[in-house]
Structures are given as C-alpha cells and as structure tokens.
Amino acid sequence: MTSAATLASSPPESRPAAPPPKVAARLLAALLLAASVPTLLALNQPPSATLLNQCLAVALWGGVAVASPPGRLARGLGPLLAALGVVAAGVAVSSGWGGLPLSLALLALGLLAGTALMVITGADAAQGPRAAPAFAALAAGLLLAGLLGAAVAAVQVFKPGWTDGQWIAHSGLAGRAVGNLRQPNHLGSLLLWALVAAVALHELRWLPRAALWAVALPLVLAIELTASRTGAVGLGGLLLWALLDRRLSPTARWWLAATPLLYAAAYLTMGWYGEFSQHALGAGARLAAEGGLGELANPAESPNSRLNIWHNTLDLIKAQPWTGVGFGEFNFAWTLTAFPTRPTAFFDHTHNLLLQLAVELGLPAAALVTGLLGWAGWRSGVQAHRATGDLGVIARAGSVLVLIAGLHSLLEYPLWYAYFLLPAGLAWGFVLGLPKVPATPPHRSDPSRPSRPALGLTAGALMVAAGVFALLDYQHAVVIYAPTAGSASLAERITRGQRSMLFGHHADYAAATNTATPASTALGFARAPHALLDTRLMMAWAQHLAERGDADSLDRARWLAQRLREFRNADAAAFFAPCLGGAVQAFPCQAPLRVHDWREFIEPRAAVAALAQGAGQPPNLPSAPSR
C-alpha cells in the first residue's frame, strides 16, 4: 500500500488518480462562486462602472467565511494583520482630523476589515484536512474566471458587435480586450491568476496534463488581446517560477516556461491577422495608438506616464514627509498643489502602492507598513521553502498569487478593488496558516486554544450583510445619475443621496455640479472635492469660491483656476475663453496674490457641521480645525 509520504513526494504524473478528500460542499461552492462571479459581472449602474462587482465580491467572500467560519487566530498572521491595522488607523486619522469624508472612510475600513477576515479564514482552512481541497476550489474558481474572461476578451476583439453591456461589457479601447472589469490591466492580472491556478490544480491532481495544455492557449491569447504590459511582464515571472521551483512536476515547469513563447506566437499571429483584416488588434492596437513604445520609449512625450505622476508624488512626499497628506487625500493635495508640468489626466492614485503609502500616511507609517508586509512576505517564503507535498503546492502557488497582485500594485492599484484584495488576502492567509512542521498530521495547531467558530460565523455573516447593504445604499446614488420613471426632482434626489452612509460623496458631486438647494450645494463643495477633483468640479468650485465675496475666497478661486489651467483640458476652454478676449478682470485670468497650501481648501469642521445641519444631513465630514 502506498504510503502518504511517498505519495506526497512523487510527481503528479506518477500518483494514482483519486477523488479529492471529503470537504463540506458548501465551502467548495462558496469558494468557486466568490473567486469567479464578481469578475464576470458585466451589468453596472452609474456612476461607478464596477461598484456592483465589488458589492458582489464582498458578499460572496463573506459567504466563504460563513461556509468555513474560522475558530482560532492562527499563529504567524501578526505582521500582516498589523499592517492592515496601521492602514486602518491612517484612515481613521484622515477622517477624524483631516478632510476625508466619512463615506469614503467607511468604505476603506470595511474593505480592510474584510481583508483581515479573509486572511484569518484562509489561515484557519490551511491547518486542517480541508487545506488541499479548499485551495483547489479557490484555484478552480480563478481558472473558471480566467477562461470565461478569455471568452469575453475574444468577443470584445473579434466580434465587438456582440457586446451588449449586460452580459459582455463594451470595450472602450479599439482592438483591445478589457473583460467585464472594463480595464485591460485588471483582465491581464486575472488571466495570470488563472494560469497560476491551473498549475496548482494540476499539482494537486485536479487537472490532467491534457487539460493543463488545453487551457494555456486561450489564457495566453487573451493576455495578448488586452495589450497589458503588466500581463506580458507577468508571463516572464511565470517563467522565473518554472526556473526556480525544482519541486514542480516536469509538466508544470515546461508548461510555465512555454507561456512566454505562446505569447510571442500569439503576438505574431495577431499581427498577421490584423494585416489581413485591416484592423490593429491586441498589443498591435496599443503600439499603433501610442506610436511605438509610448511612455517607455520617451516619457517626456507622454504627459500621463507613470514617471511623471511619480515625480509629482515624490515632491508631495518631500513637502510633508512625516504625516503625509492623509489617507485618500492624494488627489486632493496633488490637484491643489502647483505642478506646471503635471500630467493632463486626473489621477486619484499614484499607480504605485509604496508611493501611495508614503504620500498619504507619511514616511514613518509607510515604512512600518512596508516592513510588516515584508515580514509577512518573508514568512511566506519560509513556508514555501519548508512545506512539501500538497501543502507545498499551496504555499508556492499561494505565494505566486500574492506576488502577482503585489507586482501589479507597483504599476497600478488593483488592491483598491474588492475582487482582487479579498482573494489576495485569503491566499496569503492560506500560506501563512500552513502547519510549521510538515510531518505533523494535518490537524489544527495548538489544540489547547479554545475554538470559537461562532465569532467567525458572525463576522462572515456581517460581511455578507455589508455587501448587500452597500448595494442597497448605492441605489441612492444611482437614482441621481439614472433616474427612473416617477423619480423625484434632481434636487430632491441629491438631498436624499447626501444622506447615504457609504456613497454620499457621489451625491455631493451632483450637488456641486448641478442645480440643487443652496444648502446641498454648499455641502457638496465642502465634501465632493475629497473624492475626485476633475474639470467640471474644479470649474464649479472656483466659481463658487469667487461668489462668496470675501478676498480670501476670491484669491483661492484664482489659485484653483490656475491649477485647472495646468491640466490643459479641452473641456475647460469655455471657462478660460474670457482670457483670450482680454477680459483680465475675470478671476480665471488673474494670478493669485499669494501661494495657497492645499490644506487651506479643507473646510473648517464647524463650518461643515453647520452646512450638514442646514441641509438636513448628518455631519459626514469631520474635517480639519478652523484655520
């Protein structure tokens, strides 16, 4: 009879086929649904294109905790949970003593709490006999999401007329796939996760060799169709995994090594097909649109390159190195600070996680968070090196999933989306929660510690309820931008929307840029700029400041107009038209009398509270003390 030790050490090809170990069907179903469905939903409601996906992700990943409620806090999670705690403290400080609206703070705190629960849930599942089948279910969900995402990509590129926005999202980038997440980089990362999941399933004996090779071509072709540089570079990372991980089976190593070659073949094939069809498709479409390598070839010719926004970010860090600008306040501080060579796009993130932490939390807190994440990463590496057999597969595949999300976060901000953040947390928890000694039977560590699954069940149920509540609360914003028959007037819808606990900032934007009651409008200008400043809001805000009548507000209006001018946005042409006609008395044409710090634009706490009370709203923004 084959021993367990021999079976664990032998390659997958030589192991006897056997059904997966028994595990609760509800856990398998919960993981399969949570890992796949949120990334496949095409239906959306304005004003956010992916808010429904995120609400669904929160509810379904909460369902995973309900299906497998953690009973103990596994050892080894301290650094990762502490990092999440430091960021959460930064959110609280930014809302309590800065300018971050409470609605945005609650959204951030909710996602951080949900991530912590996923870390704990994954670690708990990794310590029992459920580990391998549960991780396989997670991998199966990711693979399913990737394959269906690849199908969506093919329709968007080859049959764009079939996209309806309900089942398959429209692509706003000609010749490129964006998936139902509507971002090529997001689809690229999802496809990379699917490739890693396929390897894990093969190594865990859930995916035969023939099926492994069968899924390679559609996944790699879809990465080419996204024209995502992040996705292409990620394939190089998979090649590195194949070269470094000697414990992978020969099939898995050859398969991983072949993915960059398949990408090259897909690129050449799509180039030929593009010539035949007279349309640039996939990566060729991006090269045609950017005139070569785009920002990589000459950053100076690409004003919206990451190098330019990173340069601005470093200047902001130098200006406030110790405390930062406050969590969620990068766009506010960056927009209201003079940058004559700034990008022309309205960035709300630095497109680099480390810089984002540094500019918003300050260098000391950012260093602490980075150090804690690095400590957790080192522990994950130890686990991946130490674990063998199926636990080794979980440790290495889980680590690669987290690394892909982390590397993507150095160029984008995927972890600000629930459908990436929550599964990344679960995968990291799986790795950190694995038994420290491989020879130990797969029972829970430290059985002397009392198990309290009721707490985990309650937390999971609360997370499900939070996802449902967010979806319902979001309707207060939806009805403003997409009214239905019989809806109240715009002013009434805005007033009601400003009462939303989680999405009041969307109503604030509408109040600031549309006709609303004076109280709602004033409250909107106090809170909306902290969500995202764009051309329309900046013009309306500058006009609002100029109409206050006092000298300080008028000069701040001039400063705001000068910052808008730096964006060189065509939508502001009418705003600055009087300047071309010689109307130098118009405030947009005048230089400010002095330099204004961005903090001067945060409304005093007492003033915001009075505005909220006058509009019949709760004081949603505990902002900075009076100047």
Side-chain angles (χ1 to χ4, degrees), residues 298-319:
N298 191 349
E301 294 184 0
S302 179
N304 295 322
S305 73
R306 290 169 178 80
L307 295 179
N308 286 342
I309 191 62
W310 291 344
H311 187 272
N312 290 171
T313 302
L314 290 174
D315 288 340
L316 281 177
I317 293 173
K318 292 176 184 177

Side-chain angles (χ1 to χ4, degrees), residues 118-133:
M118 288 300 98
V119 171
I120 296 169
T121 301
D124 185 80
Q127 298 177 54
R130 303 170 296 169

Side-chain angles (χ1 to χ4, degrees), residues 96 106 242 288 402 411 465 579 582:
L106 291 176
V402 174
L411 297 170
C579 306

Side-chain angles (χ1 to χ4, degrees), residues 287-616:
L287 290 177
E290 296 184 353
L293 295 178
E295 66 183 68
L296 296 180
N298 191 349
E301 294 184 0
S302 179
N304 295 322
S305 73
R306 290 169 178 80
L307 295 179
N308 286 342
I309 191 62
W310 291 344
H311 187 272
N312 290 171
T313 302
L314 290 174
D315 288 340
L316 281 177
I317 293 173
K318 292 176 184 177
Q320 40 263 315
W322 303 114
T323 60
V325 300
F327 183 93
E329 294 283 60
F330 166 74
N331 172 261
F332 185 84
W334 171 68
T335 305
L336 296 175
T337 300
F339 288 111
T341 58
R342 73 164 71 246
T344 58
F346 293 91
F347 285 97
D348 57 353
H349 289 78
T350 67
H351 289 69
N352 182 283
L353 178 61
L354 300 181
L355 287 178
Q356 188 82 21
L357 293 172
V359 73
E360 292 193 340
L361 302 183
L363 290 176
L368 177 59
V369 173
T370 303
L372 290 168
L373 293 176
W375 187 3
W378 176 79
R379 286 189 168 184
S380 299
V382 171
Q383 290 287 70
H385 176 74
R386 175 189 297 159
T388 60
D390 287 351
L391 297 185
V393 172
I394 295 173
R396 298 192 298 279
S399 296
V400 174
L401 289 174
V402 174
L403 280 173
I404 288 174
L407 292 175
H408 188 180
S409 297
L410 297 181
L411 297 170
E412 292 285 342
Y413 49 102
L415 296 180
W416 265 252
Y417 294 86
Y419 41 75
F420 280 124
L421 178 63
L422 298 176
L426 186 82
W428 208 341
F430 257 112
V431 178
L432 293 173
L434 292 172
K436 301 299 182 292
V437 182
T440 301
H443 297 297
R444 299 180 186 272
S445 61
D446 196 3
S448 62
R449 299 171 63 191
S451 176
R452 296 184 177 87
L455 292 178
L457 180 63
T458 301
L462 288 174
M463 189 170 170
V464 173
V468 175
F469 173 78
L471 177 61
L472 296 176
D473 193 40
Y474 180 59
Q475 302 310 306
H476 291 96
V478 172
V479 73
I480 296 173
Y481 295 87
T484 58
S487 297
S489 68
L490 176 60
E492 291 175 340
R493 299 198 308 271
I494 289 174
T495 299
R496 293 173 186 171
Q498 287 179 306
R499 298 191 185 103
S500 168
M501 180 180 295
L502 300 177
F503 304 102
H505 51 281
H506 289 304
D508 290 330
Y509 182 92
T513 56
N514 294 276
T515 301
T517 65
S520 290
T521 299
L523 183 61
F525 282 121
R527 301 193 310 204
H530 296 274
L532 175 66
L533 275 167
D534 60 10
T535 299
R536 187 179 178 189
L537 181 55
M538 290 179 75
M539 291 189 298
W541 193 16
Q543 189 66 44
H544 175 74
L545 289 173
E547 291 174 353
R548 282 188 172 183
D550 61 282
D552 179 67
S553 295
L554 177 59
D555 204 53
R556 285 190 289 141
R558 298 187 187 109
W559 179 268
L560 186 56
Q562 294 306 305
R563 304 290 71 76
L564 176 59
R565 189 186 293 274
E566 291 173 349
F567 283 98
R568 307 180 292 283
N569 194 293
D571 292 337
F575 184 71
F576 292 109
C579 306
L580 299 177
V584 295
Q585 297 304 317
F587 79 88
C589 313
Q590 300 172 347
L593 300 180
R594 65 180 181 87
V595 174
H596 292 271
D597 186 83
W598 61 271
R599 294 180 183 85
E600 297 179 45
F601 290 83
I602 301 177
E603 287 294 332
R605 182 181 305 166
V608 176
L611 290 173
Q613 185 176 7

